Amino acid sequence: MAQVNLQIQGMHCASCGQRVEAALERLPGIQSCSVSLATHEASVVYDPAQLTVGEMSQALGQAGYPAEPAGRPTQGNPLLSLRLGLSLLGSALLMVGHLHSAPGHGLFPMLANPWVQGALATPIQVWGGWPFYQGAWRALRQGYTDMNTLIVLGTTTAYAYSLGVILIPEALHIQGVHPEVYFEAAAMIITLTLLGRGLEQRARGETSAALRALMRLEAQTVRVLDAGQEQVVPLDTVQVGDVAVIRPGERIPVDGTVIAGTSTVDEALVTGESQPVLKQVGDGVVGATLNQLGHLQIRVSRVREATFLAQMIAWVQRAQASKAPIQHLADRITGRFVPAVLGLALVTFGLWLGLTGNLSLALVTAVSVLILACPCALGLATPAAITVAMGRGATLGLLFKTAASLEEAGRIHTVVLDKTGTLTWGRPAVTQFVSQGDLPTRQLLAWVAALERHSEHPLAQAIVAFATDQGAVDPELEVTDFVAEPGRGVRGQVAGRPVWVGTADWLQTLGCEVGTWPTQAEAWEAAGQTVVYLAVSDAVLGFMALADGLKPTSAQAVHDLASLGLEVVMLTGDNPQVAAVIAQQAGIARVIAGVRPDQKAAAIAQLQAAGRRVAMVGDGLNDAPALAQADVGIALGTGTDLAIATSDVTLISGDLMGVVQAIHLSRLTRRAIRQNLAFAFGYNLVGLPVAAGVLYPFTGWLLNPALAGAAMALSSLSVVANALRLRHAKIVTKGYTRGR
């Protein structure tokens, strides 16, 4: 199966999205498709053996929705701006004339002339309203109705009736009531709808701001080494294995591994990590991050679509085009909404005409119903919030793979955390060091580090790192007769003297006197730490404890998850003693330890069987089954590719505070969606009876069609504006306080 995002033209309401989906689903080879009104994109999963992208575009074009593969987000439509400008000018003049016709006003009498008003309204109706006529005709040809149908029927009726008033006034006199012209109402409806579309287009651009920011990070050229000489070449020509040269202050253009140089790299725009990260030989770097201080040479490991930045952009695009479960409710309603409104408008027209015989009254109420009931707000309620939240998540280093995962994260009851690599660093580090004897501590560490540099064991790497941090590494020390004893330690000659690093039992078998130190070491071992002894010339001169320690933010993340009302569980294959120590340090009360990878998934299933919605957070191969089983799988971006592939959310930085942020953002998004839907439904429930004239018998007041058009446009804008608040909502970054 393959996946493609298509940019769709001509979509203006939820009904349009349904037609696009229906046109795609009729094609052979379509596995799934989802259309987002907020981004005007369709995300399609299809079988390339049965269907091509060109055939999809052709089918959509025949359905009246031209489509092409999505590229960079569009910035605007100049023709829409021109139509809007002309319509605004004409409508303003028409409103001045309308005010002149009211008692007590005397502004520009010529503009009150019905013939002048007709002349001003005609270009607005024909040219300004042309997109609506196109949309309505397209819908009619396909046998359905949409928002364009409502606008065209309403404005054309008002415009044609007004023409009739000035061309054949005698024919429209009913029961002695002098008919009025509604040129200004028809023009204002078109103008306000164009204004709404323009503002929605601008809002869509703002929702894609994060995506455009990511795209702007893509480099166009790369400085590579060729036969020892630096050459600047286009990015598309770079191959895996090439050596790229990065100078201070430059963005790293591709993914790779440092092979020379040391520098700090600002990864904030890609990972959300605010602090620069030290990069040395052997460290991986990500394209689009900013090299700060030093020169780097990197071996290119991924290029073009395979780079992390390209994948991140693709994830965000697919997620924004996907559909949240709650959106299906709105889709079902809007699918039946337009025909119902047409019926209501006809009933309203017939009822008032029959009761009063007043054609103007019947016309005003019917047109107001048609215009007010446009389902734009309903169609935008969910996708607008989802799109904004996806972009906001990307800026925080949170990648939601689908809209469903964004919605579901806010409904979680229990968060299950893997231990190794998730709560902890996943690698040992020296936590305690004690030395005694005549040999200076720095020299002892230098000798031990020189010996351990010859070992690839994780404990050896941790000891060398500790010695490096202490400034005790001496590269001039000579090591001979190096021997590694699996499960015991290492030994060799350093500067001509025998040095051993290993377990107490092993050193004792070699004749070294350990003394009373094991008593102190037992306390460290009871705390789940590994103890190694350091001996020189048969004398034990020191020992150190190593442990896979908590990440700096793990305990804070656990506390904040509990503050959000969530149960936190540790799930690990490690032994219960070590797990209990780490759980205590992190503040986790419930621990499930000693489980195999397949048992992890079963443990998640047991929690779900108890009625809990579960999020699983992990980073390793052994976490993949549990990530897939959970309601929401959350993988650390520093973890394995399999864990990331099977998860629903990826935390790029690997910081557990991202879990708190993801759940917090999801809750804010769900709240915004509920607010949008409540407003969209409430607006129609309250507005339609008013438009139908229920207040007229009591107050003599009718909703002017122009005001109905303004209310319709404002309803859509209010939904988008409410969604855009997510761009600036305060998301947890350091400690959560209830009610913040």
Side-chain angles (χ1 to χ4, degrees):
M1 288 293 174
Q3 191 274 339
V4 67
N5 274 31
L6 297 174
Q7 188 74 42
I8 312 295
Q9 300 179 31
M11 288 203 312
H12 299 294
C13 67
S15 296
C16 297
Q18 292 176 339
R19 304 303 169 187
V20 171
E21 288 182 353
L24 289 170
E25 288 170 350
R26 285 194 293 267
L27 299 175
I30 295 289
Q31 184 184 61
S32 66
C33 64
S34 177
V35 175
S36 171
L37 181 62
T39 61
H40 285 203
E41 287 189 10
S43 178
V44 186
V45 178
Y46 68 102
D47 183 356
Q50 301 183 57
L51 187 66
T52 66
V53 174
E55 289 171 336
M56 287 186 240
S57 299
Q58 183 180 5
L60 289 175
Q62 292 173 349
Y65 298 98
E68 60 183 9
R72 295 175 178 268
T74 56
Q75 294 287 340
N77 182 348
L79 187 56
L80 174 61
S81 300
L82 189 59
R83 292 184 197 276
L84 177 58
L86 172 67
S87 299
L88 280 172
L89 177 60
S91 296
L93 294 175
L94 283 167
M95 288 306 297
V96 170
H98 179 68
L99 289 175
H100 170 77
S101 64
H105 291 80
L107 299 174
F108 303 99
M110 183 180 67
L111 295 177
N113 186 297
W115 290 93
V116 174
Q117 290 193 345
L120 290 171
T122 298
I124 300 174
Q125 186 70 36
V126 176
W127 191 69
W130 184 246
F132 307 117
Y133 284 99
Q134 282 183 314
W137 174 243
R138 180 174 58 234
L140 182 62
R141 280 170 38 201
Q142 298 295 323
Y144 65 89
T145 57
D146 62 8
M147 66 162 286
N148 293 297
T149 308
L150 299 180
I151 293 171
V152 165
L153 283 176
T155 60
T156 303
T157 301
Y159 176 78
Y161 175 79
S162 300
L163 278 181
V165 168
I166 62 175
L167 293 175
I168 48 173
E170 296 82 5
L172 297 179
H173 278 272
I174 299 177
Q175 295 182 357
V177 178
H178 183 72
E180 300 179 16
V181 295
Y182 294 102
F183 287 122
E184 86 290 342
M188 286 299 295
I189 289 165
I190 290 174
T191 301
L192 289 168
T193 307
L194 288 174
L195 177 61
R197 287 190 177 182
L199 293 175
E200 287 170 18
Q201 178 178 273
R202 180 176 178 181
R204 285 197 304 272
E206 292 185 11
T207 64
S208 299
L211 190 58
R212 288 199 303 274
L214 291 176
M215 289 179 168
R216 284 195 296 267
L217 298 178
E218 294 178 299
Q220 302 302 313
T221 59
V222 183
R223 187 179 291 104
V224 299
L225 279 181
D226 185 7
Q229 300 295 318
E230 294 185 13
Q231 292 187 355
V232 178
V233 300
L235 177 64
D236 290 343
T237 65
V238 177
Q239 302 296 322
V240 173
D242 288 350
V243 176
V245 179
I246 317 298
R247 294 176 179 175
E250 292 183 341
R251 289 204 176 275
I252 298 172
V254 290
D255 297 0
T257 303
V258 177
I259 61 173
T262 300
S263 183
T264 54
V265 174
D266 182 356
E267 299 183 331
L269 288 177
V270 176
T271 67
E273 174 59 54
S274 59
Q275 295 298 320
V277 181
L278 178 66
K279 299 293 182 180
Q280 305 177 84
V281 174
D283 291 337
V285 292
V286 177
T289 54
L290 181 64
N291 180 36
Q292 291 189 321
L293 300 176
H295 284 78
L296 293 176
Q297 291 183 14
I298 64 171
R299 180 83 63 188
V300 178
S301 60
R302 290 185 289 192
V303 295
R304 291 177 284 281
E305 290 81 6
T307 63
F308 180 81
L309 179 63
Q311 291 178 5
M312 184 175 176
I313 291 171
W315 285 339
V316 174
Q317 286 179 321
R318 285 196 296 269
Q320 287 185 338
S322 64
K323 190 172 291 187
I326 197 171
Q327 175 65 22
H328 296 291
L329 170 64
D331 288 348
R332 287 194 299 270
I333 293 173
T334 53
R336 299 172 176 84
F337 191 75
V338 174
V341 169
L342 291 175
L344 177 61
L346 288 174
V347 170
T348 300
F349 180 83
L351 183 64
W352 283 114
L353 185 60
L355 290 176
T356 66
N358 188 329
L359 183 60
S360 292
L361 174 62
L363 178 69
V364 167
T365 54
V367 170
S368 296
V369 167
L370 289 172
I371 300 305
L372 187 90
C374 178
C376 300
L378 194 58
L380 285 168
T382 298
I386 291 292
T387 302
V388 176
M390 291 292 184
R392 180 67 189 280
T395 64
L396 294 171
L398 314 173
L399 294 183
F400 296 89
K401 292 188 178 177
T402 64
S405 61
L406 173 59
E407 183 183 344
E408 187 65 24
R411 305 171 66 208
I412 292 301
H413 302 135
T414 301
V415 177
V416 178
L417 302 174
D418 170 53
K419 180 183 78 68
T420 306
T422 301
L423 279 164
T424 68
W425 288 109
R427 60 181 184 272
V430 176
T431 59
Q432 307 284 348
F433 172 58
V434 175
S435 67
Q436 71 174 21
D438 298 332
L439 191 66
T441 298
R442 187 179 295 273
Q443 186 174 348
L444 173 63
L445 281 176
W447 285 7
V448 169
L451 185 66
E452 293 285 20
R453 278 205 305 269
H454 290 72
S455 172
E456 296 180 354
H457 194 281
L459 293 181
Q461 297 173 7
I463 292 172
V464 172
F466 177 73
T468 301
D469 291 341
Q470 300 298 314
V473 174
D474 184 355
E476 303 297 327
L477 286 174
E478 182 181 359
V479 178
T480 60
D481 302 328
F482 174 82
V483 176
E485 298 279 354
R488 294 182 173 184
V490 296
R491 57 186 172 88
Q493 297 284 328
V494 181
R497 298 184 65 176
V499 177
W500 297 269
V501 181
T503 66
D505 292 340
W506 181 54
L507 291 183
Q508 286 176 335
T509 63
L510 296 175
C512 297
E513 182 60 42
V514 175
T516 60
W517 286 3
T519 302
Q520 187 174 359
E522 285 175 0
W524 294 350
E525 290 176 338
Q529 301 185 74
T530 299
V531 179
V532 297
Y533 293 79
L534 320 175
V536 178
S537 300
D538 299 333
V540 176
L541 300 182
F543 69 113
M544 55 179 57
L546 297 96
D548 180 11
L550 282 179
K551 294 178 181 178
T553 59
S554 291
Q556 183 65 61
V558 170
H559 173 269
D560 289 355
L561 289 170
S563 297
L564 287 169
L566 300 167
E567 178 189 20
V568 182
V569 179
M570 178 195 289
L571 181 64
T572 178
D574 212 337
N575 69 74
Q577 181 181 8
V578 173
V581 172
I582 295 297
Q584 183 179 19
Q585 295 173 356
I588 299 175
R590 184 175 180 183
V591 179
I592 304 173
V595 293
R596 298 189 307 270
D598 58 321
Q599 294 174 326
K600 284 189 173 184
I604 298 293
Q606 287 179 353
L607 290 170
Q608 292 170 323
R612 311 292 289 177
R613 290 193 182 94
V614 181
M616 171 68 194
V617 187
D619 73 316
L621 290 170
N622 62 339
D623 297 319
L627 289 169
Q629 173 66 41
D631 297 280
V632 177
I634 303 177
L636 305 188
T638 53
T640 64
D641 290 342
L642 180 60
I644 293 173
T646 55
S647 67
D648 303 297
V649 185
T650 299
L651 311 180
I652 301 174
S653 67
D655 188 338
L656 277 184
M657 283 302 297
V659 180
V660 185
Q661 292 176 324
I663 293 174
H664 191 194
L665 178 60
S666 174
R667 290 185 176 182
L668 290 177
T669 305
R670 284 171 51 80
R671 184 173 68 185
I673 291 173
R674 289 195 297 268
Q675 290 170 342
N676 283 352
L677 288 174
F679 183 82
F681 282 120
Y683 156 81
N684 283 298
L685 287 174
V686 173
L688 281 175
V690 174
V694 295
L695 298 179
Y696 181 72
F698 311 103
T699 65
W701 183 79
L702 289 175
L703 181 64
N704 186 288
L707 291 178
M712 179 269 292
L714 289 174
S715 69
S716 297
L717 293 177
S718 63
V719 164
V720 174
N722 188 49
L724 287 174
R725 292 194 305 120
L726 292 170
R727 288 187 62 194
H728 307 289
K730 188 166 185 178
I731 307 297
V732 173
T733 54
K734 257 186 195 176
Y736 177 83
T737 302
R738 188 175 299 278
R740 174 182 290 180

